[in-house]
Amino acid sequence: MAAITAVQPTIAPPPPIRPGSMARDSPQPEPRRTTAFERSATMTTSAKTAMSRGSAGSPLAASASASAAQPPRRDRPCDACRRRKTRCAMLDDGPVCASCRMHKHPCTFVENPLPRKRRAQSEGADVASGKRRSSLVSVTEELEQQQQQQQRQQRQQQLPVSPSAVSLSPGQAAASAGTGDVSSWTEELDPPSIIARRPVRYVGATTTQIESSVWNLCDPQGRPDVDEGGADAIAFAGLQGSFCRLGRSDRFLVQADGDHRQGYHHCAARRWLRDVEDVVAPCGPILIELYMAFVHPHFPVLEARDFVSRHRRSPSDTPPALLAAVYLLGLSWWDTDVRVRGRALPDVGSLEDLAFRCLDWALQRPDLSAVQAGLLMLQRSEGETWAMTARLVAVGQDLGLHLDPSAWDEVPPWERALRKRVAWALFVQDKWGALVHGRPSHLVRANWAVGILVDEDFEPDLPPLDLHETIADDDGEDEDDGEPPGLVFGRMTALSTILSDVLDTFYTLQAIHEIGNAGKEGTRTVLERAKPVQLKLKEWFARLPPCLRMDRARGKNFSVLAYFATEITLHRRIVHSLDPSLTDPYLVHICRSAAKTRLISAMDFVNRLKVENLQAFWYSASKVNFALIGTFGGLLLATAPSEQEADFYRHRLAEYRWTLSVSAKWAPFTVFALATLDRSTKMLQNLEQKPSLSSPVSEL
């Protein structure tokens, strides 16, 4: 004590310490071994007591007296913080620590201390000296963390995050009663299967390291769940693990991670989650609501009720990459909610950088959530890349997403349905990515066993969300009346199978070579191959429900745009095959007239889009589909046989450019189509003058 008193004039006034620590005049010896935090608090109490004795009339002494008058509290971490082995930072405004307040847990001090591992006697002196040196540093870090928690609490108090905190009209209040936000989305699901709980890798039929027939002879019954690290653990493809069989013949390697590896994974996940939440705090719940309202109904790659309830019940269990992707997509509709109007938009660049880093980290130990996060990241107009699509396809095949899980009785029904939705979302992304980037598709129909989506594969109708004056429906009609869940996504998957047929029939290297070698019969060859595809497209459009038609489809127009893009992709190949010197002139006229009709229909569709249509969710390929319309118009202009027909297409392209420029105010992703059209128009200026006809062409 004397040594501490001697240096008292050089010590700066310390920051406030935790309530109750001044209740003791001096540190008392304890029979048990104290923790680092208890020793640090004890040393701080000793120093303050010595300084207060040295200058009883100083302001510091008065402050110490005031602290001593506060209600005493046991100077140790609360039960919850001690179980989680996290720092217990008390707040000044109550007897609850910051962690318990954030997680809404009771802050109690009733449990006995956890058993501790004793260090070797030889290293006890060195460890004790090191802890004494770091004790004051730990107290300083705790005080800094306490200040950060107080700042977060203040930000949360400034923002109403619940519907009850926002003034609603009587109609809105009635509509939101009981279902005003995602907090009402609760559902208890069956526990996930082993392939969802642990990292797995599908074992294919051509595996050379083990013979599947030997498998079946040695284990005829199959084991849906096996213990890792036991006698049956083997090494496969450089991975340690155990095998499990789902259904009759689908085998998986369940990877065995040691306790140290799992602990590292969980710690890293919590660190990523903290960084993600810090970027958007305190608006995370609002962004989840916006995502569930605008994205999930049309792109259901999540189990919505499970995601929302799990995030609310235990945020640390939410995959960080998936949460960051949900936040990123929710930010697209930031200005539609009155609770955040006028507030600064969270740093999108930082959140996007965090999301990609979290995704790269998750793909090192991939599970279904990594594929979900990657698919959501690709829906952003700036984030769509072919390399990422290829990576997700590879991970999906490792997880067995290309298999039909219908016969996997070991997997709960909700998980089988979720796997089917994610698998088809991956299929859609692969096919449209191949079209957009002009690359060969990674998924082959011969190796695709996933059954078509049915109503049972989608979640039941979710409660409506009250989004507080988002985008109002001008005609006041409820366009979703009677719409089965997953209707838009189901129609999009069906259309993607037709697009797959178009790409396989006309745009593979072999197909291009065969049509090119057909000579003057090339056009007829294309038309013969196109007839089955055209019938499928006609049937798809005829079966389009009324709620997906142009007049009522708000937020669902990406499927109609995708239909026109598929039609244009087919007719592009037909126009490419036309050669006026070889093809019958009447056949040329018929083919070009059909192509012109598709172009006009697509341009009219874009021209009829309203503001609420443009501000809705658009699939990742939509920005290129808008550009594809202009590109197709440029193709018809370049191949026009007369100047009159060329002038017609110039006029239509000028009108389309004006429509895109106006739409860009509400749909920034159309800027890409606008820039593409400008480049195409500049190239078309170098065309030679077309021959002029004595009279206008009849089809014009």
Side-chain angles (χ1 to χ4, degrees), residues 199 226-236 238-244 252-257:
V226 291
D227 294 330
E228 295 180 1
D232 60 346
I234 63 173
F236 174 77
L239 300 173
Q240 188 76 15
S242 303
F243 292 108
C244 72
F252 289 86
L253 174 71
V254 183
Q255 298 182 26
D257 284 344

Side-chain angles (χ1 to χ4, degrees), residues 610-625:
K610 301 178 181 179
V611 174
E612 56 265 28
N613 303 131
L614 294 170
Q615 290 184 328
F617 170 72
W618 289 87
Y619 188 65
S620 61
S622 297
K623 74 170 186 178
V624 181
N625 290 343

Side-chain angles (χ1 to χ4, degrees), residues 103 182-186 307-315 318:
H103 296 288
V182 295
S183 62
S184 62
W185 293 7
T186 57
F307 177 84
V308 171
S309 60
R310 181 173 57 174
H311 180 262
R312 186 181 67 255
R313 181 177 63 252
S314 180
T318 307

Side-chain angles (χ1 to χ4, degrees), residues 20 89 113 137 172 186 202 222 253 309 311 341 353-354 381-382 384 396 417 427 486 502 521 524 564 676:
V137 177
Q172 289 174 324
T186 57
Y202 171 67
L253 174 71
S309 60
H311 180 262
R341 286 180 182 171
D353 179 67
L354 268 175
S381 59
E382 303 86 359
E384 206 282 326
F427 180 90
V502 173
E521 297 297 326
R524 297 189 182 276
F564 285 116
T676 303

